[in-house]
Amino acid sequence: MKRLTIRARLTLVYGGLFLLAGIVLLAVTYVLVEQRMPGTFGVQVNGVNPPPGSPGTPRLITPDNAEQLRIFARQIQDEARERALQTLLTQGGVALAIVSATAFAFGWLIAGRALQPLHQITGTARRIAGADTAGRGLHERIALDGPRDEVKELADTFDLMLERLDQSFDGQRRFVANASHELRTPLALNRSLLELAITRPDAPAELKQLGDTLLAVNERHERLIDGLLTLADSEQQVVDRTPIDLAEVVGHVAEQLRTELPVHRHLASARTAGDPVLLERLTQNLLENALRHNVPAGGQVWVSTGTVDGWATLVVANTGPVVPGYEVETMFQPFRRLRQERVGGGRGFGLGLSIVRAVAGAHGGSVRAEPRQGGGLVVTVLLPAEASIRTVPDNLPSTSAPAAAISTATSTVPALPHNGLPISNGGGTPQPARRR
């Protein structure tokens, strides 16, 4: 019973009660009819003269003939009684079966009609939760019409909750906008004053050294604020989408990197649609993390793009310290880093992968990371391909990327032999990023 839907359970309850009532009614009718039917005729036939003119009959019925007549009459009465009761049961049972089947059918229709307001509430909740890309948000309301019953009270309570959530998120957005201005302005002013102070011709060496240190601290604070604002903006569903190729984004970001580590690129067309600024930030965070968290010497980074099963894929792998499997998921949480990196202050703020997951989720995609054999990390990003964006189901959650697509995408990451050189897997000749 627990596996049945509410509509099926209501139909069974309605039809079952109707069937039970019909069985009880048929049983009561059977008992009443049986009691009302006479048991014997009770006619005195001894000494009765037959009607005149009956040829071949004696003038008087003997006692033996009378007894035989009583037995014959009782047999006829019993057979008629049994036939009547059997007909009552048979015809009543057939009628009950037909009416019960009709009752079950009407019960299914009535249950669907009664649950229609719940479907409306569910559809509104799905749209608000971002299951589709129609651009609806917390401003939408159920506004259920009808009598003041339990379902109407539920819909009104849900609308009240949505109104409060809408006000809360509006306040959060206003706070982010105000914080963006109020926090960036004094930091920009501090940077200008420090640059002006250390560039004076008569500035002593101690002042220039102190200014350089304060500029580094100021730049760190600016990057922290920029990361927090990007994380807050990327947690909202992307409505205005622009066709974009992840291969072009990766190529552009890789050209801007300033690193001595080789970045091997295996770039195939991976067309999707989304916000170009957020997707560029996603790619930049992945590559910067792969370069920052790497081995001191001989480290390498691999990045590949492609399309697998209707998903645009971006895979970034690197050499580096061994990452425990139980700590991979915590790395996607804000301000969380590996245990051996928490004591260092120059390795970022722990927002890189959080921003990556938020941006991917805002585009209807997903992110998965797994430790790389021999050390390092393999991060796989899956976004809906441009041709399949319009065919993605409305109830597809952001973490439901097919496991086969993820497995195929990560299979493009080469392994490292003992000599430290990458093994190409047929994805093209590795192209190191331009060093600057």
Side-chain angles (χ1 to χ4, degrees), residues 47-85:
V48 177
N49 293 325
S54 301
T57 57
R59 297 297 296 172
L60 294 174
I61 299 178
T62 63
D64 293 337
N65 293 334
E67 184 63 26
Q68 293 178 0
L69 182 61
R70 288 193 189 96
I71 294 174
F72 180 71
R74 184 173 297 175
Q75 291 177 352
I76 294 176
Q77 182 187 18
D78 291 342
E79 291 178 0
R81 184 168 178 268
E82 292 296 332
R83 284 197 300 268
L85 293 177

Side-chain angles (χ1 to χ4, degrees), residues 261-265 430-435:
L261 297 179
V263 178
H264 306 284
R265 287 176 277 174
Q431 300 176 1
R434 182 178 301 174
R435 300 184 180 91

Side-chain angles (χ1 to χ4, degrees), residues 110 128 273:
I110 293 174
I128 294 174

Side-chain angles (χ1 to χ4, degrees), residues 38-322:
T40 59
F41 282 107
V43 180
Q44 182 68 30
V45 295
N46 189 20
V48 177
N49 293 325
S54 301
T57 57
R59 297 297 296 172
L60 294 174
I61 299 178
T62 63
D64 293 337
N65 293 334
E67 184 63 26
Q68 293 178 0
L69 182 61
R70 288 193 189 96
I71 294 174
F72 180 71
R74 184 173 297 175
Q75 291 177 352
I76 294 176
Q77 182 187 18
D78 291 342
E79 291 178 0
R81 184 168 178 268
E82 292 296 332
R83 284 197 300 268
L85 293 177
Q86 185 177 3
T87 302
L88 175 63
L89 287 178
T90 304
Q91 300 298 330
V94 172
L96 179 60
I98 296 175
V99 176
S100 298
T102 306
F104 274 100
F106 275 103
W108 178 264
L109 296 177
I110 293 174
R113 182 68 177 176
L115 295 175
Q116 187 63 32
L118 295 181
H119 293 309
Q120 183 178 349
I121 297 175
T122 303
T124 304
R126 284 179 177 175
R127 291 192 296 269
I128 294 174
D132 57 10
T133 56
R136 297 180 176 91
L138 291 174
H139 61 277
E140 187 177 1
R141 300 293 181 269
I142 299 175
L144 185 65
D145 296 330
R148 189 73 182 180
D149 54 4
E150 291 80 0
V151 179
K152 182 70 163 56
E153 292 181 358
L154 175 63
D156 293 343
T157 304
F158 193 80
D159 285 341
L160 180 60
M161 181 187 66
L162 289 177
E163 183 178 357
R164 294 182 177 179
L165 286 176
D166 194 10
Q167 294 176 357
S168 176
F169 277 94
D170 283 341
Q172 180 184 4
R173 284 190 290 267
R174 288 193 298 268
F175 171 78
V176 170
N178 293 334
S180 175
H181 175 74
E182 296 297 332
L183 294 178
R184 282 175 172 173
T185 300
L187 290 177
L189 181 60
N190 289 341
R191 184 177 67 252
S192 300
L193 293 177
L194 289 172
E195 291 176 349
L196 179 62
I198 62 177
T199 54
R200 293 175 54 184
D202 56 345
E206 294 81 1
L207 179 60
K208 292 183 179 181
Q209 183 179 2
L210 177 62
D212 291 336
T213 304
L214 293 178
L215 280 176
V217 174
N218 196 84
E219 182 182 0
R220 181 176 175 84
H221 291 165
E222 289 179 347
R223 289 190 287 111
L224 173 61
I225 294 174
D226 183 65
L228 291 174
L229 295 177
T230 304
L231 179 61
D233 292 338
S234 59
E235 288 179 345
Q236 303 177 10
Q237 193 76 12
V238 176
V239 178
D240 297 329
R241 296 174 179 263
T242 302
I244 191 172
D245 193 342
L246 291 181
E248 298 179 0
V249 177
V250 173
H252 173 73
V253 174
E255 290 294 332
Q256 307 299 320
L257 293 176
R258 298 182 178 180
T259 176
E260 296 297 328
L261 297 179
V263 178
H264 306 284
R265 287 176 277 174
H266 304 258
L267 305 182
S269 179
R271 302 198 62 84
T272 183
D275 189 321
V277 177
L278 292 179
L279 292 179
E280 182 178 343
R281 183 60 183 269
L282 178 148
T283 306
Q284 180 180 356
N285 282 4
L286 287 178
L287 291 178
E288 288 182 351
N289 280 353
L291 293 171
R292 182 183 301 115
H293 306 284
N294 217 307
V295 293
Q300 301 182 73
V301 175
W302 297 267
V303 55
S304 63
T305 59
T307 302
V308 180
D309 295 337
W311 295 88
T313 64
L314 169 61
V315 182
V316 178
N318 69 323
T319 55
V322 176

